[in-house]
Amino acid sequence: MSHFLFAAAELAPLLRQQGRRFTTGYLHLHLRGEDPAEGTEPWVLTYYHGRLLFSADQPLNAPILLRRLSRFIPRLNLDWPQRVIRVLQQRLLPDNSLAELLEMMTELGLIKPGELEDALWLNLLTDFDRYLFDRGGTCYFEVQERVAQEAPIGGFELEPLLQEAARRHDRWAELKVAIPTLLAVPVVNWDRVNRYRLSDEQRQKLHALTKDGQSLEAIAQKLCREMCSAPLTRSAGGS
């Protein structure tokens, strides 16, 4: 089993160079923080036939996948879907595969067509935003054929993900000049807002979002919970 050492900004080239070695299984990464005394942070990328499928702090399994999906499909956080999911988990797992659980959720309308692919794509990009460009560490690949039975979709090609992650990283570098942290509390300049033709509904929405002094991160989470947007339509193999 080969182990790899990489510095900050070297991980994306490593993923490209070693793509043929990463087949079906888990790429275990241990990422260093700024303070060596804090140890390392785990990150696991799940691969399916050389395509990226899932990202978390542990290998793909039902509980962590459902938690990640609920971040990008707000409907799954509601009480009724939560109750249905618990019943399905009790009845279907571990005798049935993860793919069958998700298929049943789709049949019941808990997940709409295209939402699973979109959520998994966004899950990968979100972790790429956090880890890909600014963290050094070590990694090794564990072949695990069980992923072939568990994979809910065919996964995503690496290169489009890396290109989109690089675009987001560059965009964030530009935004950080004005928004140094998502913990910042926005202050609305109403004189400037009044120059734009906002409807009364839009103005009320903006006021409701900012009146309590919440951080940008809290506002983003609130919007995510309220929004059930149309699928983004990403190309995933085998879907």
Side-chain angles (χ1 to χ4, degrees), residues 137-230:
T138 62
C139 66
Y140 67 92
F141 191 81
E142 173 195 0
V143 176
Q144 179 54 262
E145 293 300 330
R146 184 180 63 84
V147 174
Q149 285 75 50
E150 292 291 306
I153 64 171
F156 304 95
E157 292 289 348
L158 173 66
E159 192 58 35
L161 279 163
L162 293 181
Q163 291 177 1
E164 178 63 11
R167 188 196 66 80
R168 288 160 64 107
H169 185 260
D170 292 343
R171 182 58 176 156
W172 177 239
E174 297 172 358
L175 292 174
K176 280 200 299 186
V177 177
I179 307 173
T181 172
L182 288 177
L183 298 179
V185 176
V187 177
V188 179
N189 185 330
W190 287 105
D191 288 338
R192 178 167 293 183
V193 169
N194 290 333
R195 300 175 190 173
Y196 298 91
R197 295 180 179 178
L198 298 182
S199 66
D200 289 341
E201 182 181 356
Q202 290 172 323
R203 193 179 301 274
Q204 292 170 6
K205 182 68 172 180
L206 179 60
H207 176 72
L209 288 171
T210 58
K211 67 183 178 66
D212 295 326
Q214 294 182 320
S215 68
L216 289 169
E217 183 177 42
I219 291 172
Q221 291 173 348
K222 183 177 180 180
L223 287 172
C224 183
R225 287 194 297 268
E226 293 177 354
M227 180 180 62
C228 291
S229 60

Side-chain angles (χ1 to χ4, degrees), residues 33 37 39 42-43 58 65 75 82 85 89 103 165-166 191 198 222:
W43 184 28
Q58 57 188 281
L65 175 62
R75 179 186 323 106
Q82 285 289 314
I85 290 171
Q89 285 185 274
E103 182 179 352
D191 288 338
L198 298 182
K222 183 177 180 180

